[in-house]
Amino acid sequence: MLELALKGSKRYFGWIACLLAVIGVGVGCYMWQLSFGLGLTGMSRDVSWGFYIAQFTFLVGVAASAVMLVLPYYLHHYKAFGRITILGEFLAVASVSMCLLFIIADLGQPMRALNVILYPTPNSILFWDMIVLNGYLFLNIIIGWQVLQAEKNSVAPPKWVKPLIYISIPWAVSIHTVTAFLYCGLPGRGFWLTAILAPRFLASAFAAGPAFLILLCLLVRKLTKFDPGKEQIQTLAKIVTYGILLNVFFLLCEVFVVFYSKIPEHMDHMTYLYAGLHGHGVLVPWMWTSIALMIFSIILLVNPFTRQKEGILTVACICVFIGTWIDKGLGMISGGFVPSPLHHITEYVPTKPEIAITLGIYAVGFLVLTLLFKIAITVKEEAEGV
Amino acid sequence: MENSRRNFLKIAGISALGLSATPVLDAFALDISMLDMKINATPGKDAITAKRWGMVIDTRKFESEEDLKPMIEACHKIHNVPVLENKRHEIKWIWEEEFKHAFPNLEHEYVNESVEHLPFLVLCNHCKDAPCVRACPTKATFKREDGIILMDFHRCIGCRFCMAACPYGSRSFNFRDPRPFIKDINKKFPTRARGVVEKCNFCAERLAVGQQPACVEASKGALVFGDLENPESEVRRLLKTNYTIRRKVALGTGPSVYYIV
Ligand code: SF4
Ligand code: SF4
């Protein structure tokens, strides 16, 4: 089936060329980072994780959200999703690939990355994160590929795939839970030290992931002869609605606990993010934009009349995606480091090379996504005889 | 990097080089040169040993910032700690903090003057239940039998999980090659490569040859080092006869550094 990715229109190859150009700049900057060190980024002694780890966290969520298609289809026999589960799985593959690249980009000594396997350390959550992420990547590649191959040959997928599919459901939850555990088990980091972090991560994932999938479905319908289906998109829209509602609800729970208890170690970070602390507040406008976008999207999504209009739904999905991205991809990580455990305020702003590397990795993800979607959709077009 | 904007212009040039492998090879070369100077902290025949090392800092003996300088300098000099101008890339093993930063949860508006203005010496606490050890995915950070939390600079992958885990800000990361920023390199102690984390090692390499930690030696008796589990030791005598505090005890990490205030 791989050969299907090699045939395409001018527009298809043009898009790929664009992605390759962005990847090229990213690779160049990464080489620079390798030779200079992570000092090239905006990170510091106080804010020791930045943009890379934040993108990683956000994308783990997008990856996990594939379960929102797999679960209704395989466990509840919601047939409509059969048409598009493959899109969710391939989105997961692209997202996890980006996650792994972001981790590598963040390492000070990437050549030693294998030490995590050579000296397995089960008490470290990072060890488990490596296992669940790689496992999830392979599960989705195998499942996606087998199911698609079967569809191409108009036969049922091999029997051994079924158990893998069932395993992939809790596995999806695990990747985001373990990723949250990276942060919420650390003493002295009051912003993350909350049991609701994993649920909150999952809620924002189940909003952002399906929202992105809706946008992809609409794009696929526009660009190809395959229609993911109106019903499918509407069901996804309901999932996004619940996801974003839960996410905002969890955030409000957090706000209550933090500001009612008034424990400084927990409160200071929130204050920094949403109001600024001792005159520092680069993220304040961003965080309020995020809140505004999430609330605006809720208004559009909860109302069935607006939700059912695909034009408005598109706007809502973009709002959900950007809103949750700011929340997680911008505020969540650096917010936990400001103020520092010694109550110093060092702010974090990514540098241009850091952003170029980030965009490069996103371009790799989009490249993987494009190739996989091209294959899947060509198979589907042929199967439908259009 | 402060001048990142200017450097950004270089990107065009660098991306033109594409997949040039030079920087990668460079990085490998550094690694190998570091191996030559492997830290020798294995206790020798003159070594001083303990069940659990600890330190008592008598802050009453310090009057000004100046009083702390000799200890900080002694440590940073023998351990090849670079002096980096850029605050963000700073590396420090032992340094001074105001009371409100060293003990953020003990600070209040009416704290006595001497404490308010007195600089406090802070360093890795060599915690009994160290979160940094728990977090490290490669065992590059590990706890030795005698309670010292050590680092293997050759195994560290630079993930900085330990930095997020340490509630005392005791760890520094080599954001760039530190060697050009070391004035006189002490050949007996390894320099670090960029991309690894480092912190105070309670002078394990000195204990191994029967010496006291460098800061203790330079402290004129204000710092006392000894076995916390030996009731006869000097540190235990000080703990018995003075009221002491530790940093952020509520977190349960069990710091081994005590302060007499
Ligand atoms: S002070 Fe920090 S670095 Fe030192 S042992 Fe405790 S947690 Fe680890
Ligand atoms: S940076 Fe090094 S010492 Fe710290 S957790 Fe990672 S591998 Fe361990």
Side-chain angles (χ1 to χ4, degrees):
Chain A
M1 283 193 296
L2 271 177
E3 73 284 354
L4 297 178
L6 299 176
K7 280 178 285 180
S9 62
K10 266 214 180 100
R11 198 170 50 186
Y12 171 70
F13 284 110
W15 166 241
I16 288 186
C18 288
L19 290 176
L20 287 176
V22 180
I23 295 172
V25 177
V27 169
C29 286
Y30 183 65
M31 288 298 160
W32 183 13
Q33 180 184 299
L34 262 189
S35 67
F36 184 88
L38 281 162
L40 197 64
T41 69
M43 289 185 268
S44 59
R45 194 179 187 279
D46 280 349
V47 185
S48 46
W49 279 336
F51 222 42
Y52 300 144
I53 293 297
Q55 302 317 305
F56 151 79
T57 310
F58 178 74
L59 289 167
V60 170
V62 176
S65 70
V67 75
M68 284 290 118
L69 293 173
V70 174
L71 191 144
Y73 179 55
Y74 288 101
L75 285 191
H76 300 286
H77 307 286
Y78 178 61
K79 288 281 173 310
F81 270 177
R83 264 176 95 74
I84 55 168
T85 41
I86 187 76
L87 302 186
E89 282 153 355
F90 281 172
L91 176 61
V93 171
S95 306
V96 181
S97 312
M98 286 188 267
C99 291
L100 296 173
L101 286 175
F102 274 117
I103 294 201
I104 298 290
D106 189 68
L107 291 183
Q109 288 283 343
M111 292 73 74
R112 298 183 191 161
L114 283 181
N115 280 2
V116 179
I117 299 162
L118 295 177
Y119 309 102
T121 313
N123 50 277
S124 173
I125 301 297
L126 206 60
F127 168 78
W128 293 106
D129 214 30
M130 180 213 59
I131 292 184
V132 290
L133 282 177
N134 282 297
Y136 193 64
L137 180 63
F138 287 116
L139 276 176
N140 276 291
I141 291 180
I142 295 170
I143 296 169
W145 203 255
Q146 286 300 332
V147 172
L148 194 64
Q149 189 106 47
E151 187 169 341
K152 187 166 191 270
N153 303 332
S154 328
V155 292
K159 277 221 163 55
W160 56 265
V161 177
K162 258 287 164 62
L164 291 186
I165 291 172
Y166 290 134
I167 291 173
S168 83
I169 294 172
W171 203 291
V173 179
S174 85
I175 61 168
H176 219 15
T177 306
V178 175
T179 303
F181 285 1
L182 285 176
Y183 312 110
C184 69
L186 305 176
R189 301 281 177 189
F191 185 56
W192 303 324
L193 194 68
T194 160
I196 212 170
L197 200 69
R200 196 175 146 201
F201 273 18
L202 284 164
S204 81
F206 295 154
F212 190 60
L213 211 58
I214 290 179
L215 297 174
L216 285 176
C217 285
L218 292 171
L219 202 65
V220 162
R221 182 198 278 160
K222 219 173 180 168
L223 297 179
T224 72
K225 295 191 206 90
F226 173 70
D227 182 3
K230 209 169 163 57
E231 183 193 341
Q232 284 80 349
I233 289 176
Q234 281 306 318
T235 311
L236 275 175
K238 280 181 204 136
I239 295 173
V240 176
T241 311
Y242 281 113
I244 192 73
L245 278 171
L246 274 177
N247 187 41
V248 172
F249 171 64
F250 288 162
L251 178 62
L252 289 176
C253 292
E254 195 78 73
V255 167
F256 169 77
V257 171
V258 163
F259 287 106
Y260 196 82
S261 71
K262 291 206 171 202
I263 300 174
E265 280 98 69
H266 298 263
M267 191 170 62
D268 288 346
H269 302 278
M270 281 270 185
T271 313
Y272 167 70
L273 284 178
Y274 292 97
L277 197 63
H278 306 313
H280 299 271
V282 277
L283 288 175
V284 175
W286 290 92
M287 298 317 289
W288 285 104
T289 308
S290 161
I291 300 272
L293 287 171
M294 291 197 284
I295 291 177
F296 181 58
S297 70
I298 287 178
I299 296 170
L300 296 183
L301 286 168
V302 168
N303 183 344
F305 296 106
T306 43
R307 187 177 64 231
Q308 280 157 10
K309 297 217 171 53
E310 279 182 357
I312 298 177
L313 180 62
T314 311
V315 175
C317 287
I318 293 174
C319 291
V320 167
F321 193 77
I322 300 178
T324 48
W325 179 81
I326 296 174
D327 185 28
K328 230 162 152 186
L330 216 52
M332 183 56 74
I333 301 308
S334 50
F337 285 106
V338 188
S340 77
L342 301 190
H343 275 248
H344 289 297
I345 299 181
T346 310
E347 288 196 286
Y348 164 79
V349 180
T351 58
K352 285 174 187 168
E354 192 176 5
I355 292 174
I357 293 172
T358 304
L359 289 177
I361 296 177
Y362 269 107
V364 173
F366 274 101
L367 184 65
V368 173
L369 190 71
T370 306
L371 299 178
L372 290 176
F373 268 38
K374 173 77 173 50
I375 296 171
I377 284 158
T378 314
V379 168
K380 295 212 175 253
E381 281 173 343
E382 279 168 11
E384 292 186 355
V386 282
Chain B
M1 284 166 62
E2 271 355 329
N3 53 353
S4 64
R5 232 136 288 166
R6 188 155 18 103
N7 282 330
F8 184 61
L9 294 175
K10 291 186 198 156
I11 300 179
I14 292 174
S15 17
L17 285 176
L19 280 158
S20 152
T22 349
V24 186
L25 292 179
D26 253 22
F28 275 116
L30 276 179
D31 255 11
I32 291 160
S33 76
M34 209 170 68
L35 280 175
D36 307 335
M37 298 205 272
K38 200 154 187 169
I39 176 171
N40 193 0
T42 331
K45 67 174 182 348
D46 303 322
I48 42 176
T49 54
K51 278 221 181 81
R52 188 173 150 234
W53 287 113
M55 186 185 279
V56 177
I57 300 180
D58 190 344
T59 62
R60 297 168 307 186
K61 296 201 171 141
F62 302 127
E63 268 150 27
S64 67
E65 261 181 67
E66 280 310 305
D67 293 349
L68 304 181
K69 288 246 153 62
M71 288 158 270
I72 298 171
E73 268 162 28
C75 165
H76 286 182
K77 201 162 155 19
I78 66 158
H79 292 122
N80 293 324
V81 174
V83 182
L84 291 151
E85 286 299 312
N86 188 338
K87 264 284 206 188
R88 289 193 289 119
H89 301 164
E90 199 179 18
I91 295 189
K92 43 193 184 186
W93 285 26
I94 176 168
W95 70 101
E96 57 191 36
E97 289 284 353
E98 286 173 75
F99 183 74
K100 63 175 185 208
H101 293 300
F103 297 89
N105 39 357
L106 294 183
E107 191 235 351
H108 60 86
E109 22 188 336
Y110 309 120
V111 78
N112 59 323
E113 266 180 29
S114 64
V115 164
E116 195 183 347
H117 301 296
L118 198 86
F120 278 72
L121 212 49
V122 292
L123 65 160
C124 168
N125 288 295
H126 297 272
C127 303
K128 195 171 185 180
D129 194 355
C132 57
V133 173
R134 218 178 304 149
C136 177
T138 62
K139 301 189 188 81
T141 291
F142 59 97
K143 185 176 174 182
R144 210 165 67 161
E145 288 255 291
D146 57 3
I148 300 184
I149 309 295
L150 280 181
M151 284 218 45
D152 182 341
F153 303 127
H154 310 287
R155 189 183 286 190
C156 173
I157 58 173
C159 65
R160 309 188 296 297
F161 201 3
C162 54
M163 292 178 82
C166 172
Y168 305 98
S170 302
R171 299 179 154 258
S172 309
F173 179 70
N174 285 280
F175 278 99
R176 55 186 304 181
D177 183 6
R179 290 174 192 109
F181 304 94
I182 307 171
K183 247 216 218 112
D184 320 286
I185 292 187
N186 169 19
K187 294 261 168 12
K188 292 201 203 108
F189 198 80
T191 55
R192 276 72 69 189
R194 60 169 132 46
V196 300
V197 167
E198 60 181 80
K199 65 163 195 78
C200 153
N201 66 347
F202 257 3
C203 280
E205 84 285 1
R206 289 170 62 90
L207 302 177
V209 292
Q211 290 170 314
Q212 288 277 309
C215 57
V216 175
E217 208 175 78
S219 72
K220 302 203 198 102
L223 270 55
V224 177
F225 191 72
D227 190 350
L228 288 172
E229 291 192 5
N230 177 0
E232 308 299 317
S233 70
E234 174 75 359
V235 282
R236 281 291 292 276
R237 190 189 63 75
L238 283 171
L239 291 176
K240 208 186 288 173
T241 50
N242 294 279
Y243 176 69
T244 49
I245 53 173
R246 289 182 295 168
R247 297 170 68 200
K248 298 192 180 182
V249 270
L251 297 178
T253 55
S256 305
V257 176
Y258 294 76
Y259 295 82
I260 304 177
V261 281

